[in-house]
Structures are given as structure tokens and as C-alpha cells.
Amino acid sequence: MEQYLVTARLLDAQDPLASFRNEFYLKDQTIYLDGNSLGLLSKRAEKSLIGVLNSWKEHAIDGWMKGDNPWFYLSENLGNQMAKLIGAYENEVIVTGSTTVNLHQMIATFFQPTNQKTKILADELTFPSDIYAIKSQLELNGLSPEKHLIQVKSQDGFTLKEDDIINNMTSDVSLVILSSVLYRSGQLLDIKRLVNAAHERDIIIGFDLAHSIGVIPHNFQESKPDFAFWCNYKYVNSGPGSVGGLYVNNKHFGKAPGLAGWFSSNKSKQFDMKHTLEHENHAGAYQIGTPHLLSIAPLIGSLQLFEEAGIQNIREKSLKLTDFLMQLIKEELEEFEIINPTLENERGGHVCLQHEDAARICKALKENEVIPDYREPNLIRLAPIAFYTSFEEVWETVKRLKHIMDTKAYEKFKNEREIIA
Ligand SMILES: *Cc1c(COP(=O)(O)O)cnc(C)c1O
């Protein structure tokens, strides 16, 4: 174990992103590995939040058009900045809603069942909220989820095979909704291959980027999914409940929003106050109501950090961090099974470990100032974050975990999850 400390320190010394750690509020001694659930606060995000508060203080109603970040255009401006994270064109991205709300908007917009095509294809491993949204949208269309929602099965309980997904893209499927990265196993799907397969079959396809935005660069100009949606409170570090994002491929520009509101309007016409909507001809059309500015504000600062660090560099470091973590686990903690895929083009930003005592091992880790996250039924997710986790902290995590296992320090806890896990 000790010999790897030298390796860790060497990796830290060579890390071009090391200085970004100073941009974040970290706690002494605490190793935070839960940035894939809630990213930490940065000084920039704090500053931009205070900036928006000040513009409210200073300009009141005129803040919509005045100040450093006029509120009226903020969702569009930040959307254009976010487009770089996914390799999209300007106007294809808007900052709005939340993962689940944006998924509702996308289904309402793109799910137009015909006699032949009535089904939505998803998978059995996806996040529950996505499935709840899909089922409720089917019901709103008078279609029973039992018959019209197809969930691709996993062969091993943790990952999906692209072949299985494609084999389920039958002629009665209208829409496919998948995660870019699965929230438990961290499997990264081959987006381009899936998009091509869907489009060859005349099927619309969209992706939930909750676990890839801000940690994996996408190239949507090349892969061209029809739409994508995400939250900004995980790897994007924009704060609890911060406003999410939405991508719509430009070939769909002009398509009416399924769920309309006055913020869907062409901005120059919005205040005409007509009862006939003239919607925007880009991703902005899929906004609904007034943007939640105080929950958008931290994103202004967060995105500056992404601009400075570069998403490619973030991915490179993230892969090195997870590589190092997996190597140490294999050598020192044989009782854990690594269930995330190990190939670089098949995994996201976290490592997922399986252990029958996972729930109480997580409690023991927290007692030892390592913050993991637990997922039912027996999984521990560890996400070292490129912006603020050091290689030495990865080493220290394994050291503390090894101590917990050697001394059975977890046995004093109940093997049950907390309410929030
Ligand atoms: C985090 C996450 C969500 C959360 O949705 P919200 O609407 O932001 O609460 C949804 N789907 C996936 C895959 C997630 O990882």
C-alpha cells in the first residue's frame, strides 16, 4: 500500500488541473467522492450567485435587461456556453427546467404515436424518475405503459448491450430514451452507434446526460441525437436544485413545444402578449415559464471553470483518477467486486463497488470522513472529481477503507440505507 503513495504524489505533481482544487470549498480531512450526486460549491459559483442577487438589489425589474448578465438572455447565453461541453452548435442548447421536467417536455414534443409506431423504448436499469415520466406521458396519450413501454433487459444486472438495445428497436417503436451513462454501474453507452441504429429505423432517440455532462465530452455535431437533457447539480457543480439543460438537434428547429408557455416565445415577440404563441426557432422554444434565476446564477461561475480547464482535460484526469482507484482496489481490497466497465470508452466518472455490507460500509466511510454514496441493493459509488480530488486522496480513501475492512469497523452499523442515499 505505502509504495503507491509515491505514485499518487507523482501523479499530483504532474496534474495540469491541480490548481483548480483551490477554487472549491473543501473541508479539511474530508474526502468528498460524491460529486456525481451533488458537486461542491466553487468560489466562482458563489460569486456569480451573489452577482445576480446584487443585480436584483441594484436594478430591480430592470435586471432583465441590465447588469453583467441580463436575466432575459441568460438561459440562451449559458446554453451556448454549455453547447461546448457536448460538441453541439449554438442555439441547440438551452438552460432550463430539470432532468425530469425536460424529459417530459421532450416526450410531449417528440412522441407522436401513429397506428404503426406507439411504443417507447427505455431500459430496466435507468433512473426511476425517467421511467415515471415515460409512463405518465404514455398514459396521457391513452396508452398503457404495460404494453407500450419496452424496457431492454440487462444480462448481468448492471450493464446493457448495445446489440440488445438495437434488437429492441422494432418497427412499432416511436421513441428511444436512454442514459448516456448508467447511474449505478457507470456504463457509458455508444451514443453514435445507437443514434445511427435508431435513425435507420425511423425512430427518434434522446439521451439523459445526468451522469456524463461535465465529466465526459460528447460530440453531438457528429453523433446527432434528436435531443438530450440533464441536471447541472452533479458534475457541473451548480448547486442543489440548480436549473438543468436541454439539447435539441437543429434539424428539429421550428417544431412546436409539446408543453408551451410564454418563455417558449420568440424573444422579440414575447411581450406582444398575444394569445397565439410564436415560438422560438431553436432550443429556446422548449422553455416554459420564467427562468429560476437564483438557481441558474451559480452556473455562470461554474462554466467559467469548465472554460478554463477544458472538458477534454477533465475527462483525461477523471479517467486517470478512476484508473488509479480501481488499481488500488484490485490490489488491496479483493472482497469488493468492481462492477463498472473497465474499458475507457465504456465507463463514466465513477467507480462502482459491490459488497453485501455496502450500506454499513458507507456509514463507516462517512465516520472516517470519506463521503461515498450508496445505491440499492449493495453498491458503493465513488466519484473522484477532476476539479477537486487529488490522487493522494484516492490513495487515502483506499487506505481508510482497508482499515475499515481489516478492523470490521462497519459491523457496529446497521446494514440499511439512510433516507437519502
Ligand atoms: C440525477 C438524475 C435524475 C434527477 O432528475 P431531477 O429532475 O434533476 O430530479 C434523473 N435521471 C437521472 C439518470 C439522474 O442521474
Side-chain angles (χ1 to χ4, degrees), residues 38-111:
L38 180 68
L40 293 180
L41 175 65
S42 65
K43 293 169 190 169
R44 278 335 153 83
E46 179 183 49
K47 195 170 161 211
S48 61
L49 173 57
I50 292 170
V52 172
L53 277 173
N54 278 335
S55 71
W56 175 24
K57 195 193 281 178
E58 181 80 15
H59 302 294
I61 188 71
D62 288 337
W64 286 102
M65 297 301 276
K66 283 191 173 157
D68 295 340
N69 293 289
W71 309 333
F72 196 52
Y73 301 106
L74 193 54
S75 310
E76 285 77 10
N77 290 342
L78 292 175
N80 287 338
Q81 283 183 46
M82 288 212 92
K84 292 180 206 157
L85 295 182
I86 58 171
Y89 294 105
E90 286 216 337
N91 292 334
E92 286 183 323
V93 177
I94 188 79
V95 167
T96 191
S98 66
T99 313
T100 313
V101 169
N102 292 341
L103 172 55
H104 272 291
Q105 174 67 294
M106 291 294 93
I107 302 174
T109 302
F110 287 103
F111 183 53

Side-chain angles (χ1 to χ4, degrees), residues 203-219:
I203 298 171
I204 298 271
I205 183 165
F207 288 88
D208 182 331
L209 308 186
H211 280 275
S212 65
I213 192 82
V215 65
I216 297 171
H218 291 293
N219 186 351

Side-chain angles (χ1 to χ4, degrees), residues 98-101 126-127 129-130 179 181 183 208 210-211 231 233-234:
S98 66
T99 313
T100 313
V101 169
T126 198
F127 198 86
S129 198
D130 298 41
S179 286
V181 169
Y183 78 104
D208 182 331
H211 280 275
C231 52
Y233 51 78
K234 293 174 178 167

Side-chain angles (χ1 to χ4, degrees), residues 27 29-33 369-371 389 393 396-397 400:
K27 279 198 180 158
Q29 303 306 319
T30 304
I31 302 175
Y32 190 76
L33 299 179
E369 297 184 280
V370 175
I371 314 298
T389 310
E393 282 181 315
E396 182 66 29
T397 296
R400 290 184 200 175

Side-chain angles (χ1 to χ4, degrees), residues 258-271:
L259 306 174
W262 74 318
F263 269 79
S264 317
S265 298
N266 174 317
K267 290 192 116 55
S268 64
K269 310 256 170 78
Q270 182 170 344
F271 280 82

